[in-house]
Amino acid sequence: MASDATTRQVVAQVARELDGQVTALTAELAALFLEEIPAFQGDEAVRELMAASTSSNLSTIFDVLLHGLPLDRIDVPAAAAAYARRFAQRDLPIESLLRAYRLGQERVTQWFLRGMGVRSLDAEMLLACTQEIVSVLGRYIDQVSEHLIEIYETERKLWTQRTDAARAIALRTVLADDTLDVSTAEAMIGYRMRGWHIAAVAWVEIDAHAPRWVDSAVGVLAAASGCRPLTVLVDDHTLWAWLSSPSPMRLDDQALDSLDAGSALRIALGEPAPGLAGFRSSHREALRAKTVADMSGGLLSPVISFAEVSIAAMLSEDLDALRAWVARTLGELAREDEAMARLRETVRVFLETGGSFTDAAARLHLHKNTVHYRVRKAEEIRGRPLGDGRLDVEVALVACQQLGPRVLANR
């Protein structure tokens, strides 16, 4: 008969092996959740928290099985709790969150069975190990799910009590329901749709005192437009806003540039567009500009417009395909290191200035001969002249500049 100590030893060995693969296993589960659960699709913030929560839960499960930690002393991982609160703030169904835990439980069980299968255990030991794993996983999932439901319901009550919650729901309806006419949309949110609109998305990437950063975002937008924007706080990190006027408006660049580069606040802007359709399209563009900013890893300025990143926004919908295309287009220039980054930036500016060594040198604050050397070096590394597929080269360089490591090849 298999002893408890021997059973726990085998389970711990498999847990140790899986714990060393957390990053890859997290990616596998994330892909499964995105495929199986619609609520996880279409929201970058939710997907990022989902990955963090998945990684935290896996590490906790492996620690429990590796060290024999008592489950009654295990708290809900902080990332998982934040994930449940974000679900509540976005009015996403708790059932989708709980389904993810059940799917995860099944996949983790499969991983453990696979790990035990290669150990040539006898039937008695295999059964004992399986019972131990199923028991611990089941109790962990039940315990965490119970706490997550409490967290979700508490946050939902708090969130719906806030005045922005009702406006957020109405705005989401106006943005999503194409059957609404202008008069109905105006009545729902108390805002005139006739005229021109520029949408903005403001956000912070780290925890910040909400009133402070929200007031800062509203102040920048008001100074740039000369009017107070329509705003709604959609979660504790994200503000949606619209600036409107009877005729096409141009924002004050000086006011936008006033945002400190060291600030945690970021703002993405859509393009000006008229009427209800423009209200919606400018918002979609602002969201896509935010996506590019998030992908860039801080390479872009604190305030970006969709016009600045429109190419990258459209290309970023399939990053795997984009990364392969950039590598084919640029060759070794697409490698992720500082030397290649300098060459890419020099070539990008050189092509942007119409192939002028003098103008490029002035833009880059370099000597003309330095620009000449870097351009020739880039051609040598690429393996063919820059004029060969020049349009592709320019687009690929823009993608590298705005999306950064997401589209570059590892060393």
Side-chain angles (χ1 to χ4, degrees):
M1 180 176 180
S3 69
D4 291 343
T6 305
T7 298
R8 284 194 292 271
Q9 184 179 15
V10 173
V11 171
Q13 289 173 354
V14 179
R16 182 177 290 105
E17 293 173 359
L18 292 174
D19 193 38
Q21 307 170 44
V22 166
T23 301
L25 298 179
T26 296
E28 182 177 334
L29 280 182
L32 173 66
F33 298 157
L34 286 173
E35 180 180 356
E36 295 291 335
I37 306 174
F40 291 174
Q41 302 165 7
D43 190 322
E44 183 68 15
V46 169
R47 290 199 299 271
E48 289 177 357
L49 270 177
M50 177 260 287
S53 172
T54 301
S55 179
S56 297
N57 276 301
L58 286 178
S59 294
T60 303
I61 289 169
F62 296 151
D63 282 344
V64 168
L65 290 168
L66 180 57
H67 303 293
L69 303 179
L71 283 172
D72 58 359
R73 297 184 184 178
I74 299 297
D75 294 325
V76 174
Y83 190 29
R85 284 192 287 270
R86 185 62 60 89
F87 247 64
Q89 293 167 3
R90 296 296 178 93
D91 198 27
L92 296 171
I94 185 64
E95 291 79 7
S96 295
L97 188 62
L98 298 179
R99 185 179 176 218
Y101 274 82
R102 294 304 175 189
L103 288 173
Q105 180 182 4
E106 294 174 5
R107 186 61 59 92
V108 172
T109 302
Q110 293 172 12
W111 293 335
F112 271 96
L113 291 176
R114 189 182 307 147
M116 291 186 299
V118 300
R119 282 175 162 71
S120 302
L121 304 174
D122 60 40
E124 185 180 12
M125 178 60 72
L126 182 59
L127 177 60
C129 291
T130 301
Q131 289 175 334
E132 173 71 6
I133 291 163
V134 170
S135 174
V136 171
L137 280 178
R139 285 184 288 139
Y140 177 84
I141 296 298
D142 286 345
Q143 178 174 304
V144 170
S145 296
E146 182 178 342
H147 288 307
L148 289 179
I149 292 172
E150 293 175 0
I151 292 170
Y152 177 94
E153 290 178 348
T154 299
E155 183 66 20
R156 195 80 202 103
K157 290 176 183 176
L158 291 173
W159 191 254
T160 53
Q161 289 171 0
R162 300 171 189 166
T163 56
D164 263 357
R167 178 177 285 178
I169 293 171
L171 271 168
R172 289 180 186 277
T173 302
V174 168
L175 291 168
D177 190 348
D178 292 334
T179 65
L180 292 179
D181 58 30
V182 173
S183 297
T184 303
E186 289 179 339
M188 287 182 66
I189 61 175
Y191 194 73
R192 283 187 62 80
M193 291 294 166
R194 297 167 178 83
W196 286 72
H197 311 283
I198 295 178
V201 176
W203 74 101
V204 286
E205 298 174 352
I206 60 174
D207 290 337
H209 188 251
R212 188 177 302 133
W213 76 258
V214 168
D215 288 345
S216 178
V218 171
V220 170
L221 294 172
S225 64
C227 63
R228 185 166 183 83
L230 166 69
T231 62
V232 58
L233 192 64
V234 294
D235 60 43
D236 52 4
H237 285 68
T238 313
L239 179 80
W240 290 353
W242 283 264
L243 304 164
S244 301
S245 68
S247 58
M249 74 183 85
R250 178 176 175 80
L251 300 182
D252 184 344
D253 291 335
Q254 187 173 354
L256 295 176
D257 291 340
S258 68
L259 188 60
D260 183 6
S263 168
L265 177 63
R266 297 290 181 267
I267 298 176
L269 300 166
E271 290 300 289
L276 176 56
F279 185 87
R280 292 168 174 158
S281 66
S282 189
H283 176 68
R284 289 193 296 269
E285 291 172 349
L287 290 175
R288 296 181 74 179
K290 177 185 181 298
T291 297
V292 174
D294 289 337
M295 289 181 176
S296 75
L299 294 176
L300 301 177
S301 61
V303 180
I304 61 168
S305 67
F306 180 74
E308 295 174 284
V309 297
S310 57
I311 292 176
M314 290 183 283
L315 293 174
S316 64
E317 293 182 358
D318 188 340
L319 281 176
D320 290 337
L322 176 59
R323 190 179 303 110
W325 177 78
V326 167
R328 285 198 308 271
T329 303
L330 299 181
E332 284 298 302
L333 278 177
R335 196 171 67 241
E336 184 183 358
D337 63 41
E338 292 184 11
M340 293 305 102
R342 285 193 297 270
L343 292 181
R344 286 195 302 271
E345 180 63 9
T346 301
V347 170
R348 186 186 67 79
V349 175
F350 171 71
L351 295 176
E352 201 172 81
T353 56
S356 169
F357 292 104
T358 301
D359 293 345
R363 282 263 302 273
L364 293 165
H365 305 292
L366 296 172
H367 192 280
K368 178 180 176 181
N369 289 344
T370 302
V371 175
H372 190 279
Y373 168 78
R374 289 185 181 180
V375 169
R376 296 296 169 249
K377 184 68 175 177
E379 290 185 320
E380 177 185 326
I381 292 173
R382 186 192 181 215
R384 49 194 169 122
L386 297 175
D388 185 354
R390 173 169 173 163
L391 179 59
D392 285 356
V393 171
E394 292 192 65
V395 172
L397 289 171
V398 169
C400 291
Q401 178 210 17
Q402 297 182 352
L403 298 175
R406 296 291 189 99
V407 298
L408 297 174
N410 294 326
R411 298 185 182 185

